[in-house]
Structures are given as structure tokens and as C-alpha cells.
Amino acid sequence: MPPFSTRTRLATVSALTALGAFASLGTATAAEPALNGEWAPFTRCPVDAPAMLAADGLAQTPQCVVSSSASGSIKLGNTTVVTGRTNLQIGIVQNADGTSSVVAPPGGALIAEPATVPGGLLGLMCPSDIPVITGLCESLENSSLNKITATMESVGAPYDFNQTAGILTDMPIVALPVRIHLENPLLGSKCYIGTAANPIVLRPENRDFPAFDMTFFQGDGTSDPAGEMSRINLTGSTQNDSTFAVPGATGCGLNVGLINLAVNAKTGLPSASGNNSLTLNNTQTHLTGLNAPGTVTPRAGAVLAENWHSAVE
């Protein structure tokens, strides 16, 4: 079987570039390894996951994808949050029938710098016509307890992955269910917008096309035009989704949901589709895999893992 075409690789990378948007308010992870050369961006590729190792190079082909952005924004109801650096790392198993499956790293696919909610608790729930909340608002003025951060978390596996949409514009690429964790001492530890049972479902689309180039390298990451590995680089694209609905906040505060009511009233939640949006600016996406996976069947997944480990410095 011949290697995947450039079009196929481009579709996969562009599609997964969109996934970087899902990390807009992500979480921190443990220290990552440093990798040599062309492997450098792929610090969390799940090469040791059973589904990746089982890829034989014919019926299934394993690949690694990383997508990052330095900035973006997300609007939920009446609240817009400017986001910082984001990073998505994920494995893809391409099937011979044209379908594919997503494999997440053990610590989760999405990480990013925490985002600060403008105005803190004062901006999120004040003023309020609920007496208990009014008193709380008065006590928050000039208080260090005002600060609130938001973290986006996956609450289920991605689905409806459309590889063709990755090379097109204005077509949903994948569906990703998420929730947003609001953190502040007065909110308690279980304050979320969206839940596992009722998530925010993001369906990002390309708004423009990324610049394209390809490099080749040896298994350990050393650049080599005749190397067994290739890396596709797609840079500069913007992604957006303005179709998702946002449920109301739940689990906020200790007084039987009173803070839920205040947060929802001030921020305009729940918020119907068309009132919310997600944008990720200047995405930088890289995909890597074996040039000729069929030549190492049935060990394509094992060879990819061996190469990744050989590049760890």
C-alpha cells in the first residue's frame, strides 16, 4: 500500500488544527520531555497508547499532531474572555477505508495558560437583586477574592470527525464536548459552565487556509531529505465556531445554587446557538508520521513509538 497522499495528510492536519481551539482555557500538565530536531513539538504524542501501537501500517496508520496558538478569544453569552497560549497534542489512527480515530495523551489532549475572567466575581455576578449576593458583591470591592480564572476541560471523546472539512473552509471539522471550570474560593470547587451530561459542543471551522511546507527526517529527529519520517507544517490559519449553545452554570457556591442564579443572570446563560463564539488566532500545526508505513507492516505503530523514544534527549 502506498503512503498517504499529501492531500490526505493536509486534510488530517488542518482538521486537527481546529482542535487547538478547544484548549482555549486549558489546564496544566507535568513536565514534558525535550525531543530532538523535527520531533521537538511532539512532546505529548501518545505513541505508547494501545491503539497507536496496534496500527499495522496497512489497515491502520499512526500519526502525531500538535497544534498551538499564542492567542484567541471565547464569548459565552454576555462575557468575552481573551485567551493565552494554547496547545493540543493528539494521535491519529488513519484507517484504510478513509475513516480515522483520535487518541488522546494520558494527561489529556488540551492544555493552555489559564484565562482570567474580566472583572472577576464582581463582573461575573454583580450587581444582583438577590439579597445574599448583593451583600457578597459589596464585600468583594477591592478584595483579592475577586479574581476568577476559567479552565476548559474535555468531558467526552471527540466525534463527527470530517477529514475533508480540514482542507476546506466554513465546514465543521469535528465535534468536541467540553465544560468550563470557574475557579475562585467563594465559588467552591465544583462551579462549571456545562457538564458531562450537558456539555458545550464545539464544532470549529477553518476561516482561511494555512501556509504549507514539508520536511523530512530520520527516526531520531535529525533532518534528512531521505529520512523515513516526514513532517507537514501548516501555519497562520484562523479557526472559529459561532454555532454552539452554552448551558447555565451549576455547582457554584455553597448556598443551594444562589450563586448559579447570579452568574447566569449577569452573563446571559444559558445562551442559545448564535450568541457565542470561539476564535483561535494564527495557529501553528504540525503532523508527523512514517513516509512508507506499509513497508514496516505489521509494526508501523511500534516503529513510530521507537522513533519517538529515540528522539527524547
Side-chain angles (χ1 to χ4, degrees), residues 9 32 89 92 94 99 102 128 136-137 141 150 154 159 163 184 199 203-204 208 233 238 240 252 255 259 264 311:
R9 291 172 182 267
E32 299 170 3
Q89 296 200 37
I92 288 292
Q94 293 277 10
T99 63
V102 178
S128 173
L136 182 58
C137 290
E141 190 131 15
S154 295
Y159 59 94
Q163 181 170 287
N184 173 281
R203 294 179 172 86
D208 50 21
N233 308 298
T238 298
N240 175 265
C252 303
N255 284 324
I259 295 184
N264 290 335

Side-chain angles (χ1 to χ4, degrees), residues 5-22 42 63-68 88 90 92 94 100 102 160-175 203-214 231-240 280 282-288:
S5 66
T6 297
R7 179 181 176 88
T8 299
R9 291 172 182 267
L10 179 59
T12 303
V13 179
S14 295
L16 286 162
T17 300
L19 290 176
F22 308 150
F42 302 93
Q63 298 170 326
C64 298
V65 174
V66 55
S67 184
S68 61
L88 164 78
I90 204 164
I92 288 292
Q94 293 277 10
S100 62
V102 178
D160 286 349
F161 181 76
N162 186 338
Q163 181 170 287
T164 301
I167 59 172
L168 303 176
T169 59
D170 305 319
M171 179 182 292
I173 298 168
V174 70
R203 294 179 172 86
E205 304 175 355
N206 290 329
R207 291 293 178 252
D208 50 21
F209 297 97
F212 171 86
D213 71 78
M214 181 182 289
R231 184 177 115 179
I232 290 176
N233 308 298
L234 297 176
T235 58
S237 62
T238 298
Q239 266 128 33
N240 175 265
L280 192 68
N282 190 26
T283 54
Q284 309 292 309
T285 300
H286 312 283
L287 177 147
T288 192

Side-chain angles (χ1 to χ4, degrees), residues 57-137:
L58 290 177
Q60 303 92 24
T61 299
Q63 298 170 326
C64 298
V65 174
V66 55
S67 184
S68 61
S69 173
S71 66
S73 64
I74 186 167
K75 177 179 180 291
L76 307 176
N78 300 329
T79 301
T80 298
V81 176
V82 174
T83 63
R85 183 166 299 279
T86 68
N87 181 273
L88 164 78
Q89 296 200 37
I90 204 164
I92 288 292
V93 176
Q94 293 277 10
N95 301 314
D97 64 3
T99 63
S100 62
S101 58
V102 178
V103 182
L110 311 177
I111 64 171
E113 297 172 350
T116 300
V117 177
L121 280 176
L122 283 169
L124 196 65
M125 65 183 191
C126 304
S128 173
D129 57 5
I130 302 172
V132 172
I133 303 302
T134 299
L136 182 58
C137 290

Side-chain angles (χ1 to χ4, degrees), residues 47-48 52-55 62 290 298-309:
V47 294
D48 296 319
M52 296 281 281
L53 290 172
L290 298 164
R299 299 191 66 253
V303 170
L304 184 70
E306 290 165 4
N307 288 351
W308 186 92
H309 285 286

